[in-house]
Structures are given as structure tokens and as C-alpha cells.
């Protein structure tokens, strides 16, 4: 199993679950501090968040401009490298899908973003799917609006370490997952 990069020092939520997972060697993980630099060659899960700002105006704090700044920062180059790494799963939430699509990284891939950006997602070459979570193969998982981030995270926890831990996190958060994970069916070439 690939290590996951977690940003919450409280994960897993209960010490006995972490101890059990460690004993079973089921939960290799690293904590990523804010000053850490993304390493696209390191196996695991990379989560690309969206942006918070004004929807569609031409100001510095408009979402399209914030995403463009992120794209121009060199992040897109690292994300392309990560997406070419067979040991990395890339997950996006909300406008994170648009960020990847802006650099052609979602061309001909099924994906979702916030409803406001679905037209732009298609125009940028992705195949928009009206679902809360979309999985285009095991290495690309995209989430719709900002609250779907909880569902994406719980889906990835369940997929990587099992339903018991995902259920325990749901209980801790007092949150019940919503929607179905839409999975692309790819045919072999």
C-alpha cells in the first residue's frame, strides 16, 4: 500500500485504531507540514483544493485569477509529473479540477467540479459528469463543490484503509456521506 499524505495531526481519530492499523502494517502515513514542498515522485495521495474568491469577475480575488496564479506557479508542472507516477493518486475538490484542466491534465478524463465551473471544465477538455464524486481509474478522484471534500476524503480512507476506519471518522465528524461515487468504465486498448 502507498503512504498517504495527511495534513491532520489527529488522524486516525482514535489511538486504539492507529495502534491496530500500525500492528497490521495497514496505515503508512506522513504528516505534511505547511512548509513542506510537494514531491511528485513520492507515492501516496495528493489532494488539490479549489480556491475561495469571487465567482466570475475580473479582479485579483476572482476564482479564475486565483486558479491561474496557482497554475503559473509551477504547481501544474509538478502535478503533471505526479499524474504520470503510477504510485500516486490525485484527488481534487471543487475548483481543484479546473486547476488541473487548465493545463490539459484532465483532457478526455471524466471529472466533476463545482456546478458553477462545469461548463469551463468541459471547455478545457475534461468530460464533465454531474455527480458528487467521480473516479476516472483508481488514480484520479474528483469532487464537486466544497462540501464534497468530506465525501472524497471518506471515500479515499475507505478505499485505502477500510470501511471501519472510514465509519469511525464519519461518527467522529457526525457526518454521513452523500451521493454515489461515479466510476468510469475504461476498455482495454
Amino acid at each position: 500500500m502507498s503512504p498517504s499524505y495527511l495534513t491532520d495531526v489527529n488522524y486516525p481519530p482514535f489511538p486504539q485504531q492507529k495502534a491496530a492499523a500500525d500492528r497490521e502494517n495497514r496505515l503508512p502515513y506522513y504528516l505534511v507540514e505547511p512548509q513542506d514542498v510537494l514531491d511528485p515522485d513520492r507515492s501516496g495521495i495528493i489532494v488539490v483544493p479549489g480556491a475561495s474568491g469571487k465567482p466570475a469577475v475580473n479582479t485579483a480575488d476572482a476564482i479564475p485569477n486565483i486558479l491561474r496564479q496557482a497554475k503559473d506557479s509551477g504547481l501544474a508542472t509538478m502535478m503533471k509529473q505526479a499524474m504520470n507516477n503510477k504510485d500516486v493518486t490525485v484527488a481534487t475538490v471543487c475548483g481543484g479540477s479546473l486547476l488541473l484542466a487548465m493545463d490539459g491534465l484532465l483532457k478526455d478524463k471524466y471529472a466533476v467540479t463545482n456546478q458553477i465551473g462545469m461548463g469551463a471544465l468541459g471547455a478545457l477538455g475534461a468530460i464533465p459528469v454531474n455527480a458528487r464524486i467521480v473516479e476516472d481509474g483508481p488514480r484520479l478522484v474528483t469532487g464537486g463543490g466544497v462540501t464534497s471534500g468530506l465525501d472524497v476524503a471518506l471515500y479515499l480512507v475507505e478505499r485505502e484503509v477500510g470501511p471501519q476506519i472510514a465509519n469511525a471518522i464519519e461518527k467522529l465528524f457526525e457526518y454521513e456521506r452523500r451521493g454515489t461515487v461515479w466510476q468510469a468504465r475504461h476498455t482495454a486498448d
Side-chain angles (χ1 to χ4, degrees):
M1 174 192 296
S2 300
S4 299
Y5 301 93
L6 306 171
T7 58
D8 186 349
V9 296
N10 295 315
Y11 182 84
F14 305 109
Q16 66 271 23
Q17 289 174 327
K18 180 187 181 309
D22 287 345
R23 279 193 306 275
E24 296 173 19
N25 196 25
R26 289 184 49 215
L27 187 62
Y29 65 93
Y30 303 93
L31 296 178
V32 178
E33 299 298 326
Q35 67 273 10
D36 285 349
V37 176
L38 173 66
D39 182 354
D41 295 321
R42 191 174 186 182
S43 64
I45 298 171
I46 298 172
V47 179
V48 182
S52 176
K54 295 176 184 170
V57 294
N58 194 17
T59 60
D61 61 346
I63 292 171
N65 290 331
I66 294 168
L67 292 173
R68 191 173 304 106
Q69 289 171 6
K71 175 191 169 300
D72 294 342
S73 72
L75 179 62
T77 302
M78 286 189 285
M79 290 309 304
K80 181 177 183 178
Q81 191 175 343
M83 291 181 76
N84 288 327
N85 181 342
K86 65 178 179 51
D87 295 323
V88 171
T89 294
V90 173
T92 69
V93 177
C94 200
S97 298
L98 290 171
L99 177 60
L100 298 182
M102 289 169 75
D103 217 39
L105 300 178
L106 296 185
K107 181 155 178 52
D108 299 325
K109 295 189 182 298
Y110 294 96
V112 65
T113 188
N114 185 291
Q115 290 300 308
I116 295 171
M118 291 292 277
L121 188 65
L124 291 166
I127 305 168
V129 176
N130 189 18
R132 193 156 174 84
I133 301 173
V134 174
E135 183 178 62
D136 187 300
R139 295 184 36 249
L140 177 63
V141 177
T142 58
V146 68
T147 61
S148 71
L150 290 169
D151 299 304
V152 168
L154 288 165
Y155 172 69
L156 291 170
V157 168
E158 179 178 21
R159 189 179 88 172
E160 297 296 318
V161 296
Q164 295 83 1
I165 293 177
N167 184 260
I169 294 170
E170 277 188 39
K171 287 180 181 179
L172 177 70
F173 288 177
E174 296 184 18
Y175 179 81
E176 188 173 322
R177 282 188 273 181
R178 295 180 42 213
T180 301
V181 177
W182 188 95
Q183 296 176 317
R185 300 212 188 275
H186 293 283
T187 57
D189 293 326

